[in-house]
């Protein structure tokens, strides 16, 4: 086992990378070996190991949760939430955030080298599940000497991982915080992801996934991102932000340029995404999300997923989130209550739809700080 | 002027095609000539010409409203609504339905021959508006000797045309029936259409629109249709119809085939669409819808659009339609009331989202029959 780079100073976030020998047995039956994991840590692990907190990232996220991205220089994606004196207080917690299995930011995924061939896996990478991501995180925690988590925290796909943690390793966590998430992907959720996958696969550059020596399917990936991005925003939020306002020009062009600001914004979102994300990873991770149905994994009854859980739970939803609406969080709470697990639930008001969990929200800060006992 | 095929028997729907010399001055400033219009008529025009009723079709519709499609043999898209003794009673009304300008079912559109070059217009076809479609319909009615409409009826984009009729030719209609529609496209509406356009334009076969001699951008058009199709259905409808049910196989494939029924359904919708629709037409018509903002055309105040209207209005929305939600219909009714136009409004309950207006709905039949005085 190999860890690079190492550092004695864990007070600042440091991008690390570990190659664990594996093999990791996956839900689909395959064995994955080795298992690479890119991660960051913040704060110091207490001598008794009791202060570890795992943050799980969303579909296109990464492990740079609270420190600048090494390549883009952009601040961490949850910088406002994680740090000394912040709701997820790194003076108190030893915070770990790992890039999920299947992604393209350093953990094993379709762009990783396949030891058997010496070339990228591409579509030979095994299809993974949310539970497989969680199992890989557990391997990492073993490696870090973390037997038990004080808390696992995640929004969106991160929330699915948090729920899967409670179901898969009930003895390893004390608290579970699930934000803007769901216990299963609905037909509409699957439908939007399928549009994105078909957009990628329709791009001739995709070439059955074997594009790593040539031009990537950027056009298809951009369309996939555009479609998904609409689901992250509320109708009201889009209206507030763009409405029908035109671009710089004052009049409609009567052409097919981006006349409306919302068109230009979406095109930019699509294009910018292709600079930082691998199309095959997008296929694999959306597949994992679509496969996710925690009840199905437990005989069809969601409460059964939490039978052995020892954690206390907190669920947070946003009233304008139509991707994972409040009703999904509420049904999770009902299952937790049925399983006699301590659960609190709050629906926050925000005009920003699903994306609200990533945006500045004093209410969310208070809920998280309150649940983790960090005050605020 | 040339009409083919002609028939003396107008009791049965007959597909006709007329080439009007034009020119038609378009909102974008261009002059279109000649103006081809494909249409069907049902019933007989009364000697006083007072029983004409125009049906306006939706984005991907056609003029075969109540008779079998000549190529596919499929029944008309509103067969259940239009016919002898039906709510739109062809024993009473002389019903006209014309393929919209910009489409690909026989009316002038990007696939039509450009007289100037002898080749298809492709992207040289002028960008059109909903009002341009309405002006072309007015030309057709002139040709048919219909001075005045007893009613204009339309759902979705057809409803936009009906509203535009009331604003553009206030003296030419007595009744206006607008179903599941809106007076303007919102940022979210535009965003979904932009995803579709980008999917088409990302397909290398699109070739800047010049694909009529080769393979069309079918893959891009299929993705566009898939994205749009999701907006036509409600989340609850998708859950009822598909939920998370798998295809024939009993287990997940852990691959990228269509595992879920909803994936297979969407793929089929996308693919089937490419057999019947032209990708450039999709670009032009979605653009026309995105440009549509009836208030903007009238100094920013929707009520002003109806100042000269002499028709009575009926607005119908469906409670699960999230593409053009009830609030949009309600704001139209408020503008009508402000303009002192007689207006009735009903929100119908349906699990099927936007598509409900095309489906079997005894309540909708009753509303339409009641408004048109055909009983039911």
């Amino acid at each position: 086992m190999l860890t690079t780079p190492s550092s004695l100073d864990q007070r600042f976030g440091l991008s690390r990378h570990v190659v664990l020998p594996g093999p990791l047995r996956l839900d689909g039956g395959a064995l994955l070996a080795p298992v690479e994991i890119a991660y960051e840590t913040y704060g110091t692990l207490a001598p008794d190991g009791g202060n570890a907190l795992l943050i799980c990232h969303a579909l296109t996220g990464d492990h740079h949760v609270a420190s600048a991205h090494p390549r883009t220089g952009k601040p961490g994606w949850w910088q406002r939430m994680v740090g000394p004196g912040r709701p997820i207080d790194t003076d108190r917690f030893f915070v770990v955030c790992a890039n999920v299995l299947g992604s393209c930011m350093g953990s094993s995924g379709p762009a990783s080298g396949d030891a058997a061939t010496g070339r990228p896996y591409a579509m030979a990478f095994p299809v993974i599940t949310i539970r497989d991501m969680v199992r890989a995180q557990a391997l990492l925690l073993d490696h870090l000497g973390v037997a038990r988590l004080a808390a696992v925290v995640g929004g969106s796909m991160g929330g699915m991982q948090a729920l899967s943690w409670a179901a898969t390793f009930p003895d390893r966590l004390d608290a579970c915080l699930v934000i803007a998430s769901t216990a299963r992907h609905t037909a509409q959720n699957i439908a939007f992801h399928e549009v994105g996958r078909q957009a990628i696969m329709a791009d001739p550059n995709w070439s059955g996934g074997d594009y790593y020596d040539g031009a990537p399917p950027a056009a298809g990936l951009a369309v996939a991102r555009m479609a998904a991005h609409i689901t992250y925003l509320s109708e009201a939020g889009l209206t507030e932000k763009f409405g029908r306002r035109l671009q710089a020009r004052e009049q409609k062009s009567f052409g097919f340029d981006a006349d409306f600001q919302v068109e230009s914004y979406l095109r930019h979102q699509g294009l910018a995404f292709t600079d930082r994300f691998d199309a095959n990873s997008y296929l694999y991770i959306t597949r994992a999300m679509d496969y996710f149905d925690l009840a199905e994994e437990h005989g069809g009854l969601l409460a059964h997923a939490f039978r052995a859980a020892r954690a206390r739970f907190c669920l947070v939803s946003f009233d304008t989130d139509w991707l994972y609406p409040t009703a999904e969080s509420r049904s999770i709470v009902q299952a937790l209550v049925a399983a006699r697990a301590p659960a609190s639930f709050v629906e926050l008001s925000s005009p920003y739809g699903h994306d609200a969990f990533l945006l500045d929200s004093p209410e969310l800060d208070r809920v998280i700080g309150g649940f983790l006992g960090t005050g605020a």
Side-chain angles (χ1 to χ4, degrees), chain A:
Chain A
M1 137 185 4
L2 195 147
T3 306
T4 57
S6 85
S7 163
L8 293 174
D9 185 355
Q10 303 203 341
R11 288 200 49 224
F12 302 100
L14 261 178
S15 198
R16 291 145 198 275
H17 182 253
V18 59
V19 182
L20 300 168
L24 178 63
R25 179 171 292 281
L26 303 171
D27 274 332
L31 295 170
L32 185 68
V35 181
E36 296 181 66
I37 303 176
Y39 66 102
E40 292 221 23
T41 66
Y42 308 84
T44 309
L45 186 60
D48 69 352
N51 70 333
L53 183 150
L54 178 71
I55 296 178
C56 302
H57 69 71
L59 167 52
T60 68
D62 57 40
H63 46 297
H64 308 295
V65 58
S67 39
H69 191 285
R71 200 164 54 78
T72 66
K74 283 191 183 168
W77 56 268
W78 226 9
Q79 193 107 26
R80 43 170 286 279
M81 189 64 78
V82 181
R86 307 250 163 127
I88 297 178
D89 189 346
T90 53
D91 284 341
R92 192 180 138 193
F93 290 112
F94 173 64
V95 173
V96 180
C97 184
N99 185 220
V100 296
L101 203 64
S103 188
C104 50
M105 311 291 186
S107 292
S108 293
S112 305
D114 178 354
T117 63
R119 297 180 36 79
Y121 281 104
M123 300 307 282
F125 193 76
V127 166
I128 52 162
T129 64
I130 298 290
R131 185 159 56 183
D132 291 332
M133 295 176 184
V134 163
R135 288 183 182 122
Q137 289 159 352
L139 281 188
L140 171 67
L141 295 181
D142 293 344
H143 164 72
L144 295 175
V146 174
R148 190 175 178 82
L149 289 165
V152 56
V153 178
S156 195
M157 187 184 82
M160 300 180 197
Q161 294 161 65
L163 289 168
S164 186
W165 258 98
T168 311
F169 300 107
D171 293 327
R172 284 186 81 165
L173 71 159
D174 294 330
C176 182
L177 176 51
V178 178
I179 307 163
S181 193
T182 181
R184 50 108 208 223
H185 248 210
T186 64
Q188 192 185 65
N189 295 149
I190 296 170
F192 274 112
H193 274 174
E194 177 65 2
V195 168
R197 286 190 294 263
Q198 290 298 314
I200 290 167
M201 292 178 169
D203 187 328
N205 284 350
W206 182 62
S207 309
D210 287 323
Y211 54 77
Y212 294 107
D213 291 336
L221 181 59
V223 169
R225 176 63 168 179
M226 289 173 66
H229 198 81
I230 300 175
T231 69
Y232 303 152
L233 308 173
S234 72
E235 198 277 329
L238 274 169
T239 294
E240 183 190 309
K241 197 165 178 178
F242 304 109
R244 293 182 47 86
R245 282 187 290 283
L246 298 172
Q247 288 285 91
R249 70 181 75 87
E250 304 241 313
Q251 304 230 309
K252 298 190 181 77
S253 70
F254 286 92
F256 290 90
D257 286 344
D259 266 356
F260 295 102
Q261 288 178 14
V262 67
E263 291 176 303
S264 163
Y265 168 79
L266 265 192
R267 289 186 193 186
H268 172 76
Q269 290 295 327
L271 222 61
F273 185 59
T274 64
D275 282 340
R276 69 177 180 89
F277 215 81
D278 175 54
N280 283 342
S281 276
Y282 196 81
L283 299 179
Y284 277 85
I285 301 180
T286 56
R287 198 55 159 165
M289 294 172 78
D290 291 348
Y291 273 3
F292 186 60
D293 183 348
L294 199 53
E296 188 188 271
E297 289 173 10
H298 294 86
L301 210 59
L302 188 55
H304 283 186
F306 305 120
R307 269 188 302 198
R310 301 188 180 182
R312 57 200 181 83
F313 290 80
C314 177
L315 278 286
V316 182
S317 70
F318 292 93
D319 57 355
T320 55
D321 182 351
W322 60 279
L323 186 67
Y324 305 136
T326 289
E328 299 295 333
S329 289
R330 198 169 278 135
S331 74
I332 296 168
V333 173
Q334 284 161 352
L336 287 167
V337 169
R340 296 171 195 270
S344 61
F345 167 55
V346 59
E347 180 190 58
L348 297 179
S349 190
S350 161
Y352 301 116
H354 182 66
D355 260 359
F357 83 95
L358 291 170
L359 304 175
D360 190 38
S361 162
E363 293 80 6
L364 181 60
D365 294 358
R366 270 196 293 276
V367 170
I368 294 181
F371 182 67
L372 296 178
T374 52

